[in-house]
Amino acid sequence: MEANIFIPDPAQVREELIQKYPAKVAKKRAKSIVINDPEIIPEVQANVRTVPGIITQRGCSYAGCKGVVLGPTRDIVNIVHGPIGCSFYAWLTRRNQTKPETLMDENYIPYCFSTDMQEENIVFGGEKKLKIAIQEAYDLFHPKSIAIFSTCPVGLIGDDVHAASREMKEKFGDCNVFGFSCEGYRGVSQSAGHHIANNGVFKHMVGRDNTPSEGKFKLNLLGEYNIGGDAFEIERIFEKVGITLVASFSGNSTVRAIENSHTADLNVILCHRSINYMGDMMETKYGIPWMKVNFVGAESTAKSLRKIAEYFGDEELKARVEAVIAEEAPNVKAVIEEILPRTKGKTAMLFVGGSRAHHYQDLFAELGMTTVAAGYEFAHRDDYEGREVLPKIKVDADSKNIEELKVVADPELYNPRKTEAELDALKEKGLEINGYEGMMKQMTKKSLVVDDLSHYESEKLIEIYKPDIFCAGIKEKYVVQKMGIPLKQLHSYDYGGPYTGFEGAVNFYKDIDRMVNNPVWKLIKAPWEKAGNGLSASYVTQ
Ligand code: CFM
């Protein structure tokens, strides 16, 4: 039976979400809560500071730099300069997987490197301790690269991680050492850390190895971090199709691959938010265009493969892409046909990071489910409204804080992979070159879009909409589940995944089916919600 989708009046919902806030806060939050219209695309306030006191889902700049962008590369020794907690509590929690080619290959992902700053280092400075740590890591492992990440106290006491890195790099001669000023407080969220990481990787890594890469169709996969093995599935498909993956930024990746990445002929971007800077910089310096793709969802995967084949414009590649899609499709179809009657007509809410709240809507659509409300934790207006709004975005003091690299065409290595005319012809065919249309164009009219959702708002939304599933992270998970709503963890996937490509789509269908059709959620009632039990609780509401 097809369920009725209950969509409350979104204007009323918005009122209800902000009603309890003090007037100033309500005014500010109202700008981040918008009623979607895919035709007009209203403006969303995004990438602004969270109101102090509001429980946000956001993380910090250090998390975005070390954890997100650099962390998944297996052969960099990532040393966290700071108190031990910053490193320890970020240790292996993101489930970014990696597969060294041989047992002898470097893999530092299982390690947790920290300078373990103590009070003495905060008072008298920590540079000496940092240099000792770098030396120790070098002596123990002789890695190709050592990266240093600054945590909050480093910026406060003024340790110069860049000078220390330069000094050690010169001293070693055969190890690339570089630092990041990614103190947690920089910027308004982890998004600042992405930008800082992109700048550092571009400055210190990309372009160091000019060995021509082999293969006819060579690309880099940007913004795929191999959570739960996602990159493995994409690699499997690329290999089957005959596409050469020069470098992945940075899931299952290596220093060498990234240093050689400028020899590829196309950059495909999965997570626009975390790595669009790299796409633009590589285009300017080396002449490599970028294209937005999405490998989350079986249909999106097929579409993205066709886009890549169209870009290379090779008939044989196009035929191979069609053959692979035809080969993979029956399995996907068999599973979805079995599951669809049970998931069709159900509703989902997605409040995740800076790209998954968009991408996973494709998978839910394949399950016949409607996304009634969605939002990012830390994305920017272009991830909601599309890149056309970029010129209209006001650069505020927080964004100005982050360095914008001045990039120019490389006098020797700049080589436009396509002429202007060729690019125009591709755009004419509907290929979004160097573009991204954002989340809202794809969402239904009157769905709710909320940026930097607060904890209070998430509870309200659940009360009002009673969605069949809520997608967010580990911090939200148990609170939501106690409300009787299953929560799909879309950051680390808990123990699930991969969810990309064809096999990933099948995994996702099965997992969601198990969650939304599990009768246990209807049986959950907190003791104080049961009548006649004598329990009561009081809350401070104002
Ligand atoms: Fe990109 Fe990511 Fe995401 Fe992200 Fe993240 Fe992540 Fe995420 Mo967690 S890079 S923006 S900073 S897709 S760690 S792999 S799941 S918030 S939606």
Side-chain angles (χ1 to χ4, degrees):
M1 194 185 79
E2 198 176 317
N4 280 328
I5 302 173
F6 168 63
I7 308 253
D9 174 11
Q12 225 173 318
V13 175
R14 179 161 67 172
E15 271 315 298
E16 223 171 300
L17 291 184
I18 59 171
Q19 214 177 45
K20 287 272 169 75
Y21 288 137
K24 247 171 103 179
V25 178
K27 200 173 155 208
K28 188 175 176 197
R29 283 303 299 150
K31 293 183 194 156
S32 289
I33 305 172
V34 304
I35 299 156
N36 190 43
D37 184 341
E39 304 294 316
I40 307 166
I41 311 273
E43 181 179 332
V44 190
Q45 171 182 264
N47 192 33
V48 295
R49 289 184 191 187
T50 303
V51 178
I54 276 185
I55 304 175
T56 172
Q57 297 177 305
R58 283 174 168 175
C60 70
S61 175
Y62 152 74
C65 182
K66 189 261 178 185
V68 174
V69 180
L70 270 295
T73 310
R74 66 174 162 264
D75 51 0
I76 304 177
V77 167
N78 289 320
I79 300 178
V80 177
H81 189 29
I84 192 66
C86 300
S87 195
F88 183 76
Y89 291 107
W91 186 19
L92 297 178
T93 52
R94 190 162 169 249
R95 294 188 73 232
N96 45 275
Q97 302 186 358
T98 202
K99 207 185 274 165
E101 274 155 41
T102 72
L103 280 175
M104 299 308 289
D105 283 349
E106 291 169 87
N107 178 15
Y108 305 114
I109 287 182
Y111 292 86
C112 177
F113 298 101
S114 168
T115 54
D116 184 22
M117 278 179 125
Q118 304 288 322
E119 197 175 356
E120 188 197 326
N121 312 122
I122 304 289
V123 176
F124 298 108
E127 279 177 37
K128 216 169 117 196
K129 197 172 192 191
L130 172 63
K131 282 186 238 169
I132 293 170
I134 298 172
Q135 183 70 53
E136 202 181 328
Y138 179 79
D139 293 341
L140 278 171
F141 299 105
H142 290 281
K144 295 182 198 79
S145 267
I146 298 176
I148 312 301
F149 300 90
S150 308
T151 58
C152 295
V154 172
L156 300 175
I157 64 173
D159 274 2
D160 190 342
V161 300
H162 306 285
S165 301
R166 268 194 309 272
E167 189 188 317
M168 299 310 275
K169 180 179 171 176
E170 252 165 61
K171 185 179 175 192
F172 301 146
D174 61 352
C175 176
N176 189 10
V177 189
F178 46 93
F180 293 89
S181 291
C182 56
E183 290 86 350
Y185 56 77
R186 270 182 206 269
V188 301
S189 68
Q190 52 266 67
S191 168
H194 300 149
H195 197 164
I196 293 163
N198 277 233
N199 289 348
V201 171
F202 189 72
K203 262 197 288 195
H204 299 291
M205 297 179 76
V206 175
R208 290 182 99 224
D209 179 352
N210 289 323
T211 319
S213 49
E214 281 173 25
K216 203 167 165 196
F217 312 110
K218 299 176 291 191
L219 54 74
N220 300 313
L221 177 59
L222 269 53
E224 164 48 61
Y225 303 98
N226 205 18
I227 314 300
D230 277 353
F232 296 148
E233 165 66 358
I234 302 174
E235 285 171 13
R236 179 187 74 86
I237 297 170
F238 280 173
E239 208 181 307
K240 221 169 151 181
V241 168
I243 289 168
T244 306
L245 179 60
V246 180
S248 155
F249 288 61
S250 55
N252 195 29
S253 198
T254 60
V255 170
R256 200 205 156 253
I258 293 177
E259 289 181 346
N260 189 239
S261 59
H262 61 298
T263 62
D265 294 321
L266 170 68
N267 280 325
V268 291
I269 296 189
L270 219 167
C271 170
H272 172 265
R273 181 65 269 136
S274 63
I275 209 144
N276 70 89
Y277 320 93
M278 183 63 72
D280 280 343
M281 291 190 289
M282 284 180 80
E283 151 105 274
T284 311
K285 187 166 178 181
Y286 303 107
I288 309 170
W290 65 265
M291 201 161 66
K292 179 75 183 69
V293 290
N294 180 18
F295 291 106
V296 180
E299 283 168 30
S300 318
T301 300
K303 201 171 141 196
S304 296
L305 289 173
R306 289 186 176 121
K307 272 164 79 172
I308 293 169
E310 193 67 59
Y311 171 86
F312 285 109
D314 182 273
E315 292 309 317
E316 222 175 282
L317 179 65
K318 285 185 196 172
R320 256 198 326 263
V321 160
E322 291 309 323
V324 169
I325 295 171
E327 203 184 310
E328 302 274 337
N331 183 35
V332 177
K333 198 165 167 258
V335 177
I336 197 70
E337 271 177 4
E338 203 258 316
I339 287 173
L340 192 68
R342 293 193 295 272
T343 51
K344 200 175 167 191
K346 293 196 183 291
T347 58
M349 283 186 182
L350 297 93
F351 290 96
V352 206
S355 81
R356 292 187 174 179
H358 176 196
H359 291 145
Y360 278 78
Q361 292 190 26
D362 289 1
L363 273 171
F364 282 113
E366 289 171 16
L367 284 160
M369 294 174 65
T370 308
T371 303
V372 287
Y376 302 119
E377 291 168 39
F378 51 75
H380 300 197
R381 277 182 61 196
D382 37 320
D383 304 289
Y384 287 105
E385 303 168 51
R387 275 177 76 97
E388 307 87 79
V389 298
L390 279 175
K392 288 193 243 159
I393 297 178
K394 270 201 276 122
V395 183
D396 61 10
D398 288 311
S399 312
K400 267 194 207 135
N401 233 345
I402 305 156
E403 187 190 10
E404 277 290 341
L405 293 188
K406 301 264 171 299
V407 183
V408 292
D410 189 288
E412 275 145 45
L413 299 172
Y414 180 78
N415 163 29
R417 307 311 203 258
K418 298 268 178 195
T419 63
E420 280 300 321
E422 282 169 333
L423 288 177
D424 287 342
L426 287 172
K427 282 181 200 161
E428 207 113 295
K429 283 185 185 161
L431 248 66
E432 236 184 333
I433 305 282
N434 305 343
Y436 174 40
E437 64 174 21
M439 170 207 274
M440 291 164 85
K441 213 175 226 166
Q442 237 190 312
M443 288 183 71
T444 55
K445 202 170 171 166
K446 291 197 173 167
S447 53
L448 210 61
V449 174
V450 187
D451 182 65
D452 187 20
L453 182 83
S454 77
H455 181 80
Y456 169 76
E457 289 156 8
S458 67
E459 286 194 11
K460 275 273 152 213
L461 282 181
I462 290 170
E463 271 169 32
I464 299 166
Y465 285 86
K466 298 181 181 59
D468 293 294
I469 196 161
F470 194 93
C471 301
I474 195 70
K475 301 192 292 296
E476 294 76 38
K477 180 168 174 166
Y478 298 100
V479 180
V480 171
Q481 293 194 159
K482 280 175 188 169
M483 294 177 82
I485 305 291
L487 185 139
K488 179 64 202 162
Q489 227 263 70
L490 279 190
H491 295 260
S492 73
Y493 308 151
D494 285 331
Y495 11 74
Y499 292 135
T500 48
F502 302 108
E503 289 183 4
V506 167
N507 290 340
F508 196 76
Y509 303 153
K510 290 181 180 168
D511 285 355
I512 297 304
D513 177 32
R514 276 195 284 264
M515 293 179 87
V516 299
N517 292 305
N518 192 327
V520 77
W521 304 110
K522 292 189 186 68
L523 305 174
I524 295 173
K525 238 186 179 94
W528 56 87
E529 288 174 328
K530 289 178 190 156
N533 58 16
L535 284 171
S536 70
S538 59
Y539 306 92
V540 178
T541 51
Q542 273 294 328

